[in-house]
Amino acid sequence: MKMLTAPPLADDALSTPVTGSLEQGAGSLTARMCALWNHCTPDRQRTLFEACEWMIAEGETIGSLLAGSSARNPTGLHADRRALARAFPACFNRPKSKAPKRPLKVGIVADAVARGVTGEDGRPLTAKRIERAVADYCTGTKYEAALIAGAVRIDLDGDPAGTVLPAHAAHAPGRAKTDAPEAAA
């Protein structure tokens, strides 16, 4: 197996191959990282390399990762879903929640845009980000299970706002994406 050489640090000799053990106290952080790398399969090394490229592209540092400052991307889709759940808890569940979903009012995106939602990054969400977050919320088996003909739809405050039409029911033949509540305005 090809061994990596660690970049020189205060406690590393210049261009010394790293073959250190995986123990916590064994050598510098660089030596331990290289030892871990050498024990990875080629597929795992490729995955780790892609993660490092992402960190560099996003301007992340090991220090910020260890401090947890980048544990959540404040502008990602799940962050926008969390912002919707925080702004309208009677309507939206947080991502990965075990709670059942309820059918949303037709045109709920326009309502959310009109009322405004502040994202985790402290800035207001754009109409496009709200639309994508609602579309993501309305995707999946839990939401489809809630789309039963005659079921009550809810608005942003959790109040009744119409019913699910048979054409909008999850298993209706020929259901088009344009029938989803996030697409109607």
Side-chain angles (χ1 to χ4, degrees):
M1 176 184 250
K2 182 180 175 186
M3 302 306 276
L4 297 177
T5 57
L9 293 176
D11 56 345
D12 288 339
L14 194 58
S15 300
T16 303
V18 177
T19 59
S21 73
L22 298 176
E23 296 175 18
Q24 186 68 17
S28 70
L29 175 62
T30 305
R32 291 193 314 262
M33 296 284 288
C34 289
L36 285 170
W37 178 269
N38 290 331
H39 284 85
C40 290
T41 65
D43 287 339
R44 183 67 175 155
Q45 287 178 348
R46 190 170 18 270
T47 301
L48 291 170
F49 184 72
E50 289 170 2
C52 290
E53 286 180 329
W54 172 85
M55 285 173 45
I56 292 167
E58 295 293 317
E60 297 294 341
T61 64
I62 295 295
S64 68
L65 289 174
L66 293 176
S69 65
S70 64
R72 291 185 171 171
N73 180 353
T75 59
L77 186 59
H78 279 226
D80 293 347
R81 286 265 316 272
R82 288 190 299 268
L84 279 176
R86 190 177 57 250
F88 310 110
C91 183
F92 295 101
N93 300 336
R94 293 178 63 81
K96 307 295 183 192
S97 170
K98 302 290 185 205
K101 293 181 178 180
R102 297 188 292 170
L104 301 178
K105 170 189 169 188
V106 173
I108 202 159
V109 171
D111 295 349
V113 170
R115 288 177 59 180
V117 179
T118 302
E120 289 184 350
D121 57 355
R123 293 191 257 174
L125 296 183
T126 63
K128 187 71 168 172
R129 285 175 65 183
I130 292 173
E131 182 178 350
R132 286 187 6 202
V134 172
D136 184 64
Y137 185 85
C138 295
T139 302
T141 57
K142 284 188 350 184
Y143 190 80
E144 285 184 9
L147 284 179
I148 299 169
V152 176
R153 292 184 180 271
I154 59 169
D155 64 8
L156 294 174
D157 299 317
D159 297 326
T163 59
V164 176
L165 300 175
H168 293 178
H171 300 291
R175 178 176 181 228
K177 288 188 183 278
T178 56
D179 290 339
E182 66 276 6

